[in-house]
Amino acid sequence: FPELRIAAAELVYERANAAYRLKAMGAAEELLLHALKIYPAHPATLGNLVTLYQGKVDFPAAEAMLERYTAAYDGALPVILKGEILMAQNRFAEAAETYRRALLKDPVSIHAQGNLGVCLFRLGQTPEAAACFREVLKLDPWNRGARENLKKIQ
């Protein structure tokens, strides 16, 4: 019964999210890994594990989980998470290219556009960074991060 496996994985995933919100990272990791045993290709679980390992500065584990996530889900989000891993390692040129690839998959991704702006700013490409932040504000006029970043560079 595949539906039962998915439902069981979803329940474990929700408990892991609760643990994550409570900053119980060990419990969250354990629950997320358990959810993967039930449903190995659950995209949300894979994505959360990438984020959790990135937060623990365990980049090899984050990269390994990202490979599984990319195999399970062909959208912009795994590409965006790859950009976040690169940014966390101060690899801004590679991250910028990664966010450009994400925008090809999802041209209205505020997350990819904003992070591309941050990368470009860190690379000294201020006019291009400002253009990214302005694009975010076109999509979301109340986006505080884009507004603050634009103020910093103008």
Side-chain angles (χ1 to χ4, degrees), residues 30-84:
E30 186 178 319
L31 287 163
L32 289 168
L33 291 171
H34 183 68
L36 282 185
K37 288 178 185 173
I38 299 167
Y39 181 31
H42 189 253
T45 300
L46 291 164
N48 279 10
L49 278 165
V50 171
T51 302
L52 187 137
Y53 291 136
Q54 178 187 340
K56 290 172 62 174
V57 194
D58 186 350
F59 297 118
E63 291 276 357
M65 204 53 64
L66 183 61
E67 283 183 35
R68 287 181 65 182
Y69 187 25
T70 302
Y73 181 72
D74 183 38
L77 193 52
V79 183
I80 291 168
L81 289 174
K82 173 67 174 177
E84 289 179 359

